[in-house]
Amino acid sequence: MEAPKEPQAEARSTTWLVGGFIGLLAAAVGVAVGELGAAVSVELGASAPNAPVVAVGQWAIDLTPAWLKEVAIRNFGSHDKSALLTGVYITIAVVSVLAGVLARRYLAAATGLAAAFGLVGLIAALTRPVVGFGGWFPALLAGVATVVVLRSLTVWSQRASVFGAVGAVGAVGQREPGDRRRFLLALFGTGAGALVGGLGSRAWLDSRYNVAPARAAVVLPEASEPLPALPASVHPNVPDLEPFFTPNAQFYRVDTALTVPQVDPRNWMLRIHGLVDRPFEVSFADLLRMPLEEHDLTLTCVSNTIGGPYCGNARWLGAPLAPLLRQAGVRAGADQILSTSFDGMTIGTPVEAVLDGRQAMLAVAMNGQTLPVEHGFPCRMLVPGLYGYVSATKWVVDLELTTFAKDAGFWVGEGWSQQAPVKTASRIDVPGTGASLKAGTIVVAGVAWATHRGVAGVEVQVDKGPWVTAELAASDTPDTWRQWSYAWPATTGQHTLTVRCTDGTGTLQTPVVQDTLPDGATGYHSIQVTIG
Ligand SMILES: Nc1nc2c(c(=O)[nH]1)N[C@H]1C(S)=C(S)[C@@H](COP(=O)(O)O)O[C@H]1N2
Ligand SMILES: [Mo]
């Protein structure tokens, strides 16, 4: 038989456990009520939901220094956002357990801790571009609910008859088993309520804040001069080599949006203003009535490392941007278009690049489909030859003509360059690095891009051997990448294959290795293979 525990010791460990649990429950209620508040505010007409957990995560993304964002993009890829949200939830859990335990003895201090945490949520919420009631209401509601639940459950549990609290005021009296049962039922009910309420609100929100139906209803107009289908020769016909046009579902995605902005095309308006003679607004219907153009364009991210995947090629349909700027009448001295997205992203693009004859556009379709929501539906900007962070604003709602001296877009504040033309790059995609293959002829293939300058040549080097010319697939336009292949007579052993290209101006890709910050990586891509 076990010796009976010392009553005080048992009470102490139990009370701490109860405290931690109450803390967790209070936070769960706060999170759930935040979701509910977000759902209610969207129902009442807020432009976007602003649940505090997402707001804190989003705020953290904005505050994260550029190098750390790079680490996140590199290590988590497209999972960096779920990793971030998981981090927010873990932080909430740890702080709430602390608050719950603290509340056993210092209820006022614990209340202060919970309130301070709620305040962080509110401040984060206020940094989001959701204006009015929907901006602050969910976070405020969540903070108040957390404090109320923490306090009332703590006080209730400390009635002597429930958990005979240690150190609590008035912890004397008779314990009645019925009281404890009622309390445990209340805990269970609170937990179940938070879970059902939270998940229910999220589901409600996901069904109401969802532009999929509106997107499906868009009838795309034809381009005024549709582009012909491309000849098969733009692809080297190497199995395993990605298609010339990247399917929308495979197209890389880079943005800071924790939840994909849902922009209803019926409410969408694009404002063109700032240093212009005639500011105006365009609705989505207006945009679709304009003469639309098709353009094949390769889009690349400045965060793409040597040989990295953040590059895709698509056929876009949209309104050319230059005529719209001319209609507005850009004033002398305005050298920057500062575009703003629905989710508050700002991107600065040189006016000169848009007006120099290249096909900058406000795109509404991608590879024959209405622009996917993750790629900026209903409208995004694109400028051939510039990295996405200085040109490719998704969910764009505002174009302000300004100067580089006065204003800067979001990424520039993070340490990226104000001006960023796409650098010449080439990549070996087939075979994959580390492959083991049989001696004989092996087809090596990949892509090369020097957006807006075009690709004039690709060369491959085996180990320290001479550079040999690869076979180029047909070129589409200088604004698109070019695929290439090389029939390599492979001999047994370990080999390193390296690729480089020459752009349309005759300039050879630089071998100098440079990191992505501040204006794009350079250096040659290599792979290692074993030939048996
Ligand atoms: N609203 C918004 N637009 C944005 C971004 C963003 O974070 N938010 N990221 C830019 C960057 S860095 C790139 S590389 C491209 C990527 O476009 P994609 O996701 O369609 O490939 O979008 C650009 N437009
Ligand atoms: Mo990017």
Side-chain angles (χ1 to χ4, degrees):
M1 259 195 51
E2 246 180 78
K5 273 192 193 151
E6 212 226 305
Q8 274 282 314
E10 184 210 49
R12 182 165 284 132
S13 60
T14 312
T15 193
W16 281 26
L17 201 69
V18 169
F21 201 65
I22 287 174
L24 272 182
L25 278 182
V29 169
V31 169
V33 164
E35 295 286 324
L36 180 68
V40 167
S41 55
V42 162
E43 201 66 40
L44 294 178
S47 62
N50 205 19
V53 171
V54 183
V56 167
Q58 197 68 66
W59 195 34
I61 293 180
D62 289 3
L63 295 180
T64 306
W67 64 267
L68 195 59
K69 272 202 198 85
E70 286 294 286
V71 170
I73 291 178
R74 255 171 241 179
N75 294 310
F76 300 113
S78 51
H79 301 300
D80 55 350
K81 287 168 189 153
S82 18
L84 177 82
L85 273 187
T86 308
V88 174
Y89 279 115
I90 291 174
T91 311
I92 291 175
V94 169
V95 174
S96 64
V97 166
L98 281 178
V101 171
L102 187 69
R104 308 310 292 166
R105 268 188 194 250
Y106 309 101
L107 188 54
T111 305
L113 180 61
F117 214 55
L119 195 64
V120 171
L122 185 60
I123 293 170
L126 293 177
T127 64
R128 301 298 96 214
V130 185
V131 290
F133 162 80
W136 52 264
F137 172 69
L140 188 69
L141 200 66
V144 170
T146 306
V147 169
V148 167
V149 171
L150 177 71
R151 289 188 61 99
S152 44
L153 286 181
T154 300
V155 169
W156 184 356
S157 74
Q158 287 186 325
R159 278 186 216 144
S161 55
V162 178
F163 274 103
V166 173
V169 195
V172 282
Q174 203 61 34
R175 174 179 296 170
E176 289 171 38
D179 285 350
R180 187 178 272 197
R181 197 174 326 119
R182 263 193 297 281
F183 176 72
L184 290 176
L185 265 175
L187 282 193
F188 179 77
T190 308
L195 194 68
V196 172
L199 292 179
S201 302
R202 176 51 48 184
W204 176 19
L205 200 54
D206 285 346
S207 73
R208 297 307 304 261
Y209 183 64
N210 183 343
V211 285
R215 176 175 175 266
V218 170
V219 180
L220 284 180
E222 280 260 323
S224 32
E225 289 167 46
L227 289 179
L230 291 184
S233 55
V234 292
H235 192 271
N237 199 21
V238 173
D240 302 335
L241 180 65
E242 65 184 295
F244 179 75
F245 285 122
T246 315
N248 291 356
Q250 264 98 275
F251 206 97
Y252 82 94
R253 179 185 157 205
V254 170
D255 54 59
T256 60
L258 257 186
T259 44
V260 182
Q262 307 287 311
V263 186
D264 193 322
R266 287 162 295 202
N267 305 331
W268 181 85
M269 276 286 188
L270 178 70
R271 240 182 110 201
I272 302 183
H273 64 113
L275 298 173
V276 296
D277 294 329
R278 299 168 293 277
F280 63 94
E281 290 193 344
V282 188
S283 72
F284 193 60
D286 293 338
L287 196 69
L288 294 192
R289 273 193 296 269
M290 292 174 188
L292 300 188
E293 291 179 3
E294 273 184 317
H295 190 58
D296 297 345
L297 165 66
T298 296
L299 182 63
T300 322
C301 184
V302 71
S303 294
N304 196 51
T305 46
I306 298 167
Y310 300 128
C311 185
N313 184 45
R315 175 160 291 184
W316 311 85
L317 171 75
L321 184 51
L324 288 170
L325 292 193
R326 292 205 183 90
Q327 188 182 329
V330 178
R331 294 210 177 129
D335 58 2
Q336 176 176 229
I337 305 170
L338 193 66
S339 52
T340 306
S341 71
F342 179 81
D343 61 328
M345 169 57 62
T346 52
I347 282 180
T349 308
V351 170
E352 198 201 339
V354 173
L355 294 181
D356 74 358
R358 73 184 84 189
Q359 205 160 354
M361 66 201 297
L362 294 170
V364 295
M366 179 178 183
N367 290 324
Q369 287 160 18
T370 304
L371 203 58
V373 181
E374 317 78 72
H375 294 289
F377 176 77
C379 179
R380 80 175 304 166
M381 218 173 107
L382 290 170
V383 183
L386 305 183
Y387 283 119
Y389 85 102
V390 286
S391 66
T393 321
K394 306 195 270 188
W395 315 289
V396 64
V397 294
D398 190 289
L399 302 181
E400 184 189 358
L401 276 294
T402 177
T403 63
F404 281 113
K406 179 168 169 278
D407 283 308
F410 172 79
W411 303 99
V412 175
E414 305 260 299
W416 299 92
S417 296
Q418 213 153 28
Q419 307 266 350
V422 176
K423 294 182 179 175
T424 303
S426 50
R427 192 174 76 195
I428 303 174
D429 291 329
V430 180
T433 190
S436 291
L437 302 157
K438 284 224 164 60
T441 302
I442 291 172
V443 179
V444 181
V447 292
W449 62 85
T451 323
H452 202 55
R453 298 181 299 283
V455 171
V458 169
E459 294 159 287
V460 176
Q461 183 188 42
V462 179
D463 302 320
K464 297 268 177 271
W467 288 96
V468 286
T469 305
E471 192 174 328
L472 285 175
S475 131
D476 179 4
T477 79
D479 294 343
T480 53
W481 64 18
R482 206 157 168 189
Q483 296 184 301
W484 58 269
S485 62
Y486 166 61
W488 172 39
T491 53
T492 47
Q494 296 262 27
H495 296 290
T496 299
L497 300 177
T498 305
V499 64
R500 69 180 189 188
C501 85
T502 300
D503 74 10
T505 71
T507 308
L508 184 64
Q509 182 182 344
T510 175
V512 176
V513 175
Q514 194 202 291
D515 195 19
T516 53
L517 257 172
D519 60 359
T522 58
Y524 294 163
H525 182 220
S526 285
I527 64 163
Q528 271 76 41
V529 290
T530 308
I531 308 299

